[in-house]
Amino acid sequence: MVKKRELIGQTQSKIFEAATEVFEEKGYTGARMQEIADRAGINKALLHYYFRTKDQLFMAVFHVLLKKMFEKILSIFMEEATFKEKMRRFLDEHIEFLIRNPKLPIFLLNEISRNPAMAEGLKETLQYAQLRDLIYETHSKELKGYGIKKNDMPQLMITIVGMSVFPVAARDMMAIMMPQMNDTRKFNAFMQERKEFAAGFVMTALKNRKK
Amino acid sequence: MVKKRELIGQTQSKIFEAATEVFEEKGYTGARMQEIADRAGINKALLHYYFRTKDQLFMAVFHVLLKKMFEKILSIFMEEATFKEKMRRFLDEHIEFLIRNPKLPIFLLNEISRNPAMAEGLKETLQYAQLRDLIYETHSKELKGYGIKKNDMPQLMITIVGMSVFPVAARDMMAIMMPQMNDTRKFNAFMQERKEFAAGFVMTALKNRKK
DNA sequence: TTTAATTTTGACCAATTAGTTAAATCATTT
DNA sequence: AAATGATTTAACTAATTGGTCAAAATTAAA
């Protein structure tokens, strides 16, 4: 009978989920401990019992979300496949991920820009040195042939990631000029089309480069 | 001797500039009226004398910044030129603009997502219907020839805007994996290179589309 | 069943926050 | 220079906020 343990887990999970919701919606400065407690269906004092301060609770949530985002981006590029295959899989899976987590990009961009030091801890967790090596390996094996200079690899990577992330981050801004984006069904359809559009766009741009 | 008028203007300007700084850095929820007053070198009561509430002050700043951003994006596409020329000019000028206003993208994305209704007022100010017509005109005149479907115009426009905006918004996030981006000189150099990279990338992708 | 430990709560506190007020200062007009 | 109106200030208020505490309730161990 591990009832108690389960309950601990339940309460802590409820808090964590509520905190994730509120922080994603309102950001650190806009979030209120009271609202997190309310959404978790508990007392505010209990919040401080499990997570001593707002900062601690926030950091716990932030790190999970940051890792979630980066792991999704990195894991695919780590796989053994051609650049083209990796890029297609990345766009497919990452866009699916973003449709399920539409508030994540703005939240992360905003919080990291508010305090860049917060992301420090992640450098070790995600073996980014390993990824950097892999990117340059991909370059010398495949992309050199496309006329991409080693120097341009950051440009290319940012472009690909931006293809999926930017529309999600800028959705409400786009909606000023394209009101159809306010309709979530239509926006999701737009993102579905984007998988093919982006992959085709990048591959065409690469294949036909002047070398 | 319009000394007093000048002074009014001076004080109001000082407040407005200070508010712009603080709101851009901290966002609405993170900004403090006291800090704005301090940076403007005045009393907090004087802040409320010129702008009755935090909301009013924020809205004043927000609208100016939102308009600034959109005017920069739109004005170029309104000009009489080929799509290729417009795109090049857009990337050149917009990237210059973003280098001078690096905090603007995240600020706007964040605040609009926090409260999309805030941007409503802009629809009329920027004749966006006019722009939409122009975009579809550009499509039927030029882009159809590139194998771009009318349906894909939003995809293309978002891609181009994202090319310039995303790296600026995501700079600190990129810096987790590319520490060189922490160096502003290097980041600005990256953005300078991006003018050519992005323009070439898009044009190559367009020219070689299967139709 | 009794005891001990853990979890949950209501009531409270100190600090911070946006906003107010009445008086003082300054500039302009007469 | 006196009166008038606009600008600036110091001191204050009411509400909100993150955080605490001691007691109550619940669970686990004896």
Side-chain angles (χ1 to χ4, degrees):
Chain A
M1 208 179 287
V2 217
K3 247 187 190 171
K4 201 51 182 288
R5 285 282 136 211
E6 281 172 23
L7 262 171
I8 295 175
Q10 276 179 32
T11 304
Q12 207 160 13
S13 299
K14 276 198 301 180
I15 292 177
F16 201 87
E17 283 164 33
T20 302
E21 271 183 39
V22 175
F23 281 130
E24 269 195 343
E25 277 176 32
K26 314 266 173 96
Y28 177 84
T29 55
R32 297 289 168 252
M33 294 298 267
Q34 187 59 60
E35 188 178 356
I36 294 172
D38 290 346
R39 286 209 209 180
I42 55 148
N43 193 289
K44 185 161 69 87
L46 196 55
L47 214 57
H48 289 279
Y49 175 76
Y50 280 95
F51 300 86
R52 208 153 289 160
T53 66
K54 186 184 182 183
D55 280 77
Q56 275 186 40
L57 177 54
F58 176 80
M59 286 310 271
V61 169
F62 175 77
H63 273 128
V64 167
L65 292 184
L66 186 62
K67 208 180 163 193
K68 206 171 154 189
M69 180 73 144
F70 267 71
E71 273 176 352
K72 182 45 90 179
I73 293 180
L74 297 190
S75 67
I76 295 168
F77 280 100
M78 293 291 209
E79 290 169 12
E80 198 64 46
T82 65
F83 175 78
K84 186 178 176 178
E85 284 164 351
K86 282 191 218 176
M87 190 190 54
R88 276 197 175 275
R89 280 211 45 202
F90 168 76
L91 287 169
D92 276 4
E93 291 188 29
H94 198 233
I95 284 174
E96 285 298 328
F97 173 78
L98 290 168
I99 287 174
R100 288 195 310 274
N101 299 276
K103 287 174 194 145
L104 198 48
I106 286 189
F107 169 75
L108 291 177
L109 293 177
N110 199 46
E111 297 301 335
I112 293 173
S113 107
R114 189 176 60 83
N115 182 7
M118 280 191 316
E120 277 303 316
L122 205 75
K123 278 189 189 169
E124 298 118 40
T125 314
L126 313 160
Q127 324 96 319
Y128 86 106
Q130 207 172 314
L131 179 85
R132 199 198 44 215
D133 293 348
L134 194 80
I135 284 176
Y136 287 129
E137 193 191 315
T138 305
H139 170 257
S140 60
K141 272 192 192 162
E142 294 192 66
L143 294 175
K144 233 181 203 168
Y146 289 133
I148 290 278
K149 287 168 284 182
K150 191 182 170 194
N151 200 29
D152 277 343
M153 283 305 286
Q155 296 283 359
L156 180 61
M157 300 309 291
I158 300 294
T159 300
I160 294 170
V161 176
M163 281 275 187
S164 59
V165 175
F166 181 70
V168 178
R171 175 184 171 184
D172 292 319
M173 195 165 205
M174 287 159 48
I176 298 175
M177 313 202 55
M178 309 178 190
Q180 68 270 31
M181 295 299 179
N182 282 320
D183 181 341
T184 299
R185 289 179 77 89
K186 286 183 185 160
F187 177 74
N188 288 350
F190 174 86
M191 290 307 294
Q192 289 297 342
E193 286 169 28
R194 194 155 184 85
K195 293 177 182 173
E196 177 58 31
F197 178 87
F201 198 86
V202 173
M203 280 317 294
T204 312
L206 287 182
K207 275 189 197 152
N208 299 283
R209 287 209 135 213
K210 43 176 189 259
K211 314 201 173 152
Chain B
M1 210 179 284
V2 217
K3 246 187 191 172
K4 201 48 181 294
R5 285 280 136 211
E6 280 172 24
L7 262 170
I8 294 175
Q10 277 180 31
T11 305
Q12 207 161 12
S13 299
K14 275 198 303 181
I15 292 177
F16 200 88
E17 282 164 33
T20 302
E21 272 184 39
V22 175
F23 280 130
E24 270 195 344
E25 277 175 35
K26 314 268 174 93
Y28 176 84
T29 56
R32 296 290 168 252
M33 294 298 267
Q34 186 61 60
E35 188 178 355
I36 294 172
D38 291 347
R39 287 210 209 179
I42 55 148
N43 193 288
K44 183 160 71 84
L46 196 54
L47 214 57
H48 289 278
Y49 175 76
Y50 280 96
F51 299 86
R52 209 152 289 157
T53 66
K54 186 183 181 183
D55 280 77
Q56 275 186 39
L57 176 55
F58 176 80
M59 285 311 269
V61 169
F62 175 76
H63 273 127
V64 166
L65 292 184
L66 185 62
K67 208 180 162 192
K68 206 171 154 189
M69 180 71 144
F70 267 70
E71 273 177 350
K72 183 45 92 180
I73 293 180
L74 297 190
S75 67
I76 295 166
F77 279 100
M78 293 292 209
E79 290 170 13
E80 199 65 46
T82 64
F83 174 78
K84 187 179 175 179
E85 283 165 351
K86 282 192 219 177
M87 191 190 54
R88 277 198 175 273
R89 280 211 46 201
F90 168 76
L91 287 168
D92 276 4
E93 291 188 29
H94 198 233
I95 284 173
E96 285 298 329
F97 173 78
L98 290 168
I99 287 173
R100 288 195 309 274
N101 298 277
K103 287 174 193 144
L104 199 48
I106 286 189
F107 169 75
L108 291 177
L109 293 177
N110 200 46
E111 298 301 336
I112 294 174
S113 109
R114 188 175 60 82
N115 181 7
M118 280 192 316
E120 277 303 315
L122 206 73
K123 277 189 190 170
E124 298 119 39
T125 314
L126 313 160
Q127 324 97 319
Y128 86 107
Q130 208 173 316
L131 180 86
R132 198 197 47 214
D133 294 348
L134 194 81
I135 285 175
Y136 288 129
E137 193 191 314
T138 305
H139 170 256
S140 59
K141 272 192 191 160
E142 293 191 67
L143 294 175
K144 233 182 203 169
Y146 289 133
I148 291 276
K149 287 168 286 181
K150 190 183 170 193
N151 201 28
D152 277 343
M153 284 304 287
Q155 296 284 358
L156 180 61
M157 299 309 290
I158 300 294
T159 301
I160 295 171
V161 175
M163 281 275 185
S164 59
V165 175
F166 182 71
V168 178
R171 176 183 170 184
D172 292 318
M173 196 166 205
M174 286 158 48
I176 298 175
M177 313 203 53
M178 310 178 189
Q180 69 271 30
M181 294 299 178
N182 283 319
D183 180 340
T184 299
R185 289 179 76 90
K186 286 182 185 162
F187 177 74
N188 288 351
F190 174 85
M191 290 306 294
Q192 290 295 343
E193 285 169 27
R194 194 153 183 86
K195 293 178 183 174
E196 177 58 31
F197 179 88
F201 199 85
V202 173
M203 281 317 295
T204 312
L206 288 183
K207 276 189 195 150
N208 301 284
R209 286 207 135 215
K210 43 177 189 263
K211 313 199 175 157

